[in-house]
C-alpha cells in the first residue's frame, strides 16, 4: 500500500482533532467538573480534561471564616473563564462556580419559601454581608434579631439559617433575614410553651436582656418580663444590681395575657412576704435600727429588713432643723435609729420618726426653765409680730410685740432692738405640742399697773401732769409709771375752769379714781369728781346753805380746817 494510501485524509484529521479537542467545547463561561491533581503554594491545580489545567486559590474553597478542606484527588466544580491563557493554563474560578450553583439553589429556595444556610462575614453600611454558599447577600441591621443587638460578633462566621426576602439575579442583589427565622421558630416554641405553662408555675429561665425597668427572661423559646418591682421584696434601684445577662434564675409565672401572649414574671413571689404580720413585728412606739436606702425632697426611706422600708417624713427628721433638705440631715447607706409612728399593712407603708429617738429639746427646756424663769439669748430674727430669741438646745423663743413694754406700743418698743443683741426675758409659756416658747421682756421689772389696779373707786390720788392737749391732760399716777388721761370735761366742776391750758407739764394735781379696767389696763381719773365730793363733804360737816351759810363760807371754813389739820 502506498504511503499516500495510508495517510489520513483531511476529513479524517479533522475527526481525530475533534476527538481530542472539539472545535467548540462550550467550556468557556460554563461550570465544569475537575480533579485536584496537586496542592502547592496556596493554590490547587485542577485538571478539567482536554489536557487543560488551571490554578485556583485555596481561599476560594473555604467558607467565610473557615479553612479550606481540599486534597489531591477531590472532584470539584469550577467556572471556566478561558480555556487557555498566555501560559497555556485554563483560567478557572471556584467562587464563580459556587456562585452560579448558589444562585440556582437560592432561586429554588426563594420560590419555595425555604430556608437557606449562610455565614455572616462582614459589615457594611446599614447591615451585614452574608455568604450563602458563594452568593453574597445583604442582611439589614433590622433583620438580625427580634430585638436590637449591641454586639453581633458572636453571630459572625458561624453557619445559621436565613430567609430570602428579595433577590434579583440580573442585578446580583439578594436580601436575607435572620429575624424572620427567629420569629417563626419563636412562634412555634411560644405556642408549645403557652400550652404547657400556667399562672403560678415556678420555672427556670435565662436573663436575656436588662433594661431600666426590668429584665427579659428566656423561658425556652419565649420571653417573659421580670419587672424591677418584682425582682425582690427589698428596693432595687436597677435590675443590674441583682441580675446579669446569661444568668439562670428561678421565676414564677405571675400573669399570662392570652391576647398579646405576654408573660409577666416574678422572683420575689417565690420568697415569703416580709409584710405578713408586719404590725406584730413593728409595733407603734418601738425603736429599731435601719439603713437609709433613698433620699427624696419629702423625706428618707429606711430599710428595717430585706423588703421592708419605712418613710421618715421631713417633718419627723429633726426637732429644730426646719425647712432643710433631708440630705442635709442623713446620707444614703447611713445606719440610723428610728421609731415606728404608724403601720398600714394594706398600703404596705410604715411611717417612721428619726427625731423621736433623740431628746426633745422643748421638753428639756421646759424641765430646766419653768414658767417665770429669767433667761438670756441672742436676737435671731425680728418680724412684724415680735422678736425671735435663740435659746439653749437650738430652740427659739418668741417675744410678742405686746410683751415688749408695759406702756409703749409694740411697734415703738421693737425699734430698740436689732439682730445680734443679747437680751434678757422671762419664760411665759412652753407649748411642747406646738413646739413654741413664749417669752416676755416687759415682765422682767414686774407690772407697774399692779400697784394702781388695787385702787378703789372714789379713792383720791396725786398725779403729775405729763402732757397737755386740747382734749385734756395726760398724767402719771404717783411714781408708779402708770399713766392716765383726764378728759377736758373732768378737769373742773365749773365749766369755765375746764380749760387744759390751766395746767402745765410738771404740775401736781389731785384727782379721784372713777374706774379701774384691769383687762385694758386703764385707770379713769376725774378732778371734777374729786371737787364735787369735797364740796359734798364740806357741806355735810360745816352746814348748808339753808342754815344761812353761803357756799363760800362753808368752803372757807373747810379750807381753814384743812390748814389746821396739816
Amino acid at each position: 500500500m502506498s504511503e499516500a494510501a495510508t495517510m489520513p485524509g483531511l476529513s479524517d484529521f479533522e475527526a481525530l482533532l475533534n476527538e481530542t479537542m472539539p472545535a467548540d467545547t462550550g467550556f468557556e463561561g460554563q461550570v465544569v467538573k475537575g480533579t485536584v491533581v496537586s496542592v502547592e503554594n496556596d493554590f490547587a491545580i485542577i485538571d478539567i480534561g482536554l489536557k487543560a489545567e488551571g490554578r485556583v486559590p485555596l481561599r476560594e474553597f473555604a467558607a467565610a471564616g473557615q479553612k479550606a478542606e481540599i486534597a489531591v484527588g477531590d472532584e470539584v466544580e469550577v467556572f471556566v473563564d478561558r480555556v487557555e491563557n498566555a501560559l497555556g493554563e485554563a483560567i478557572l474560578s471556584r467562587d464563580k462556580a459556587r456562585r452560579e450553583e448558589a444562585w440556582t439553589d437560592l432561586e429554588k429556595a426563594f420560590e419555595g419559601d425555604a430556608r437557606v444556610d449562610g455565614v455572616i462575614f462582614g459589615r457594611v453600611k446599614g447591615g451585614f454581608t452574608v455568604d450563602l454558599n458563594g452568593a453574597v447577600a445583604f442582611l439589614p441591621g433590622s433583620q438580625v434579631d427580634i430585638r436590637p443587638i449591641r454586639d453581633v460578633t458572636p453571630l459572625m462566621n458561624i453557619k445559621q439559617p436565613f430567609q430570602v426576602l428579595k433577590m434579583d439575579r440580573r442585578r446580583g442583589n439578594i436580601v436575607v433575614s435572620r429575624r424572620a427565622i427567629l420569629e417563626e421558630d419563636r412562634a412555634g416554641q411560644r405556642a408549645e410553651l403557652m400550652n404547657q405553662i400556667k399562672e403560678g408555675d415556678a420555672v427556670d429561665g435565662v436573663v436575656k436582656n436588662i433594661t431600666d425597668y426590668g429584665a427579659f427572661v428566656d423561658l425556652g423559646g419565649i420571653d417573659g418580663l421580670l419587672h424591677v418591682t418584682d425582682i425582690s421584696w427589698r428596693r432595687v434601684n436597677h435590675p443590674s444590681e441583682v441580675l446579669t445577662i446569661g444568668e439562670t434564675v428561678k421565676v414564677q409565672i405571675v400573669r399570662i395575657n392570652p391576647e398579646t401572649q405576654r408573660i409577666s414574671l416574678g422572683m420575689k413571689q417565690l420568697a415569703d412576704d416580709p409584710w405578713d404580720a408586719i404590725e406584730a413585728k413593728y409595733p407603734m412606739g418601738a425603736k429599731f435600727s435601719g439603713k437609709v436606702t433613698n433620699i427624696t425632697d419629702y423625706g428618707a426611706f429606711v430599710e428595717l429588713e430585706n423588703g421592708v422600708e419605712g418613710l421618715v417624713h421631713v417633718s419627723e427628721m429633726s426637732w429644730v432643723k426646719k425647712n432643710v433638705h433631708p440630705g442635709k440631715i442623713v446620707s444614703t447607706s447611713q445606719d440610723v435609729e428610728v421609731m415606728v409612728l404608724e403601720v398600714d399593712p394594706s398600703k404596705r407603708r410604715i411611717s417612721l420618726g428619726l427625731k423621736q429617738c433623740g431628746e426633745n429639746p422643748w421638753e428639756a427646756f421646759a424641765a430646766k426653765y419653768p414658767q417665770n424663769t429669767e433667761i438670756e439669748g441672742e436676737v435671731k430674727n425680728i418680724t412684724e409680730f415680735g422678736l425671735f430669741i435663740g435659746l439653749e438646745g437650738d430652740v427659739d423663743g418668741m417675744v410678742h410685740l405686746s410683751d415688749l413694754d408695759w406702756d409703749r406700743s409694740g411697734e415703738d418698743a421693737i425699734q430698740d432692738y436689732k439682730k445680734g443683741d443679747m437680751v434678757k426675758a422671762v419664760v411665759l409659756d412652753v407649748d411642747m405640742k406646738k413646739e413654741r416658747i413664749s417669752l416676755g421682756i416687759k415682765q422682767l421689772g414686774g407690772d407697774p399697773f399692779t400697784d394702781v389696779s388695787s385702787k378703789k373707786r372714789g379713792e383720791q390720788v396725786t398725779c403729775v401732769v405729763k402732757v397737755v392737749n386740747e382734749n385734756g391732760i395726760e398724767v402719771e399716777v404717783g411714781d408708779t409709771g402708770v399713766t392716765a388721761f383726764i378728759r377736758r370735761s373732768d378737769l373742773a366742776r365749773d365749766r369755765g375752769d375746764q380749760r387744759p391750758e390751766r395746767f402745765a407739764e410738771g404740775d401736781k394735781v389731785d384727782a379721784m379714781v372713777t374706774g379701774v379696767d384691769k383687762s385694758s389696763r386703764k385707770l379713769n381719773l376725774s378732778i371734777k369728781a374729786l371737787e364735787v365730793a369735797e364740796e359734798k363733804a364740806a357741806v355735810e360737816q360745816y352746814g348748808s346753805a339753808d342754815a344761812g351759810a353761803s357756799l363760800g363760807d362753808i368752803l372757807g371754813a373747810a379750807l381753814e380746817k384743812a390748814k389746821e389739820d396739816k
Side-chain angles (χ1 to χ4, degrees), residues 237-461:
N237 294 317
H238 196 277
S240 60
E241 296 176 2
V242 182
L243 304 172
T244 56
I245 295 177
E247 176 187 2
T248 299
V249 293
K250 177 80 72 176
V251 292
Q252 184 182 82
I253 307 297
V254 176
R255 186 169 54 257
I256 300 175
N257 189 325
E259 296 180 359
T260 61
Q261 292 193 331
R262 290 182 178 175
I263 301 176
S264 298
L265 306 175
M267 285 179 64
K268 71 180 185 182
Q269 288 79 359
L270 297 174
D272 294 335
D273 187 351
W275 284 84
D276 291 342
I278 196 71
E279 289 177 295
K281 286 194 289 185
Y282 298 100
M284 289 177 57
K287 295 180 181 180
F288 296 91
S289 294
K291 180 172 291 186
V292 178
T293 58
N294 192 29
I295 297 175
T296 68
D297 291 338
Y298 52 85
F301 288 91
V302 176
E303 184 180 60
L304 301 176
E305 64 174 271
N306 283 340
V308 178
E309 282 187 344
L311 173 65
V312 181
H313 192 267
V314 63
S315 62
E316 305 295 344
M317 302 198 79
S318 173
W319 291 109
V320 294
K321 294 179 180 178
K322 308 296 183 181
N323 301 320
V324 176
H325 191 276
K328 300 285 187 180
I329 302 174
V330 296
S331 58
T332 305
S333 299
Q334 179 182 347
D335 292 324
V336 294
E337 185 180 25
V338 290
M339 177 183 287
V340 178
L341 304 181
E342 184 182 1
V343 179
D344 189 339
S346 62
K347 295 182 179 180
R348 304 173 74 89
R349 292 179 181 174
I350 297 181
S351 297
L352 303 173
L354 184 66
K355 68 183 183 182
Q356 288 80 359
C357 293
E359 184 181 49
N360 185 335
W362 313 99
E363 293 180 356
F365 184 89
K368 188 173 181 180
Y369 301 100
Q371 194 172 11
N372 296 322
T373 302
E374 184 177 316
I375 55 94
E376 185 176 17
E378 181 182 347
V379 177
K380 293 291 187 180
N381 197 17
I382 300 176
T383 69
E384 59 183 8
F385 47 84
L387 303 176
F388 282 93
I389 311 298
L391 304 173
E392 183 179 320
D394 288 332
V395 297
D396 288 346
M398 192 190 78
V399 182
H400 194 269
L401 289 177
S402 60
D403 290 313
L404 288 173
D405 195 285
W406 290 111
D407 301 312
R408 291 187 299 163
S409 67
E411 289 76 8
D412 290 338
I414 202 169
Q415 302 301 320
D416 297 340
Y417 303 92
K418 62 180 183 298
K419 285 181 69 172
D421 285 351
M422 294 298 295
V423 297
K424 291 183 178 181
V426 172
V427 177
L428 302 181
D429 181 58
V430 179
D431 189 332
M432 286 176 282
K433 188 175 181 180
K434 295 182 179 180
E435 298 181 353
R436 293 178 181 172
I437 298 175
S438 298
L439 304 176
I441 291 179
K442 70 182 184 181
Q443 289 81 356
L444 286 169
D447 187 355
F449 192 76
T450 303
D451 296 335
V452 298
S453 63
S454 60
K455 301 290 184 183
K456 300 291 190 295
R457 186 185 180 94
E459 187 174 338
Q460 179 179 332
V461 293

Side-chain angles (χ1 to χ4, degrees), residues 58 91 152 165 186 221 233 270 304 376 384 401 457-458 501 534:
L58 291 179
I91 307 302
V152 188
L165 300 181
R186 185 179 179 184
W233 290 111
L270 297 174
L304 301 176
E376 185 176 17
E384 59 183 8
L401 289 177
R457 186 185 180 94
E501 57 269 22
E534 288 177 343

Side-chain angles (χ1 to χ4, degrees), residues 50-55 82-91:
L50 305 178
K51 299 182 180 180
E53 294 180 351
R55 294 170 176 266
R82 275 189 299 159
V83 174
E84 187 176 337
N85 63 6
L87 299 177
E89 295 179 341
I91 307 302

Side-chain angles (χ1 to χ4, degrees), residues 48-69:
I48 61 171
L50 305 178
K51 299 182 180 180
E53 294 180 351
R55 294 170 176 266
V56 179
L58 291 179
R59 67 174 182 276
E60 294 190 14
F61 292 93
Q66 301 178 9
K67 292 183 178 181
E69 295 183 1

Side-chain angles (χ1 to χ4, degrees), residues 466-523:
K466 306 296 290 184
V467 179
V468 178
N469 59 49
E470 60 181 7
N471 296 318
I473 60 175
E474 183 179 327
V475 297
E476 180 181 346
V477 182
D479 55 358
T480 63
V482 177
T483 59
F485 187 76
I486 303 176
R487 297 176 300 174
R488 184 186 187 103
S489 59
D490 286 316
L491 291 178
R493 175 177 159 298
D494 295 332
R495 183 178 296 275
D497 293 330
Q498 293 176 349
R499 293 177 290 105
E501 57 269 22
R502 289 194 307 115
F503 301 91
E505 184 178 342
D507 288 352
K508 288 187 176 183
V509 296
D510 291 332
M512 178 182 286
V513 177
T514 58
V516 179
D517 189 343
K518 294 182 179 180
S519 60
S520 62
R521 298 173 55 81
K522 285 186 179 180
L523 186 67

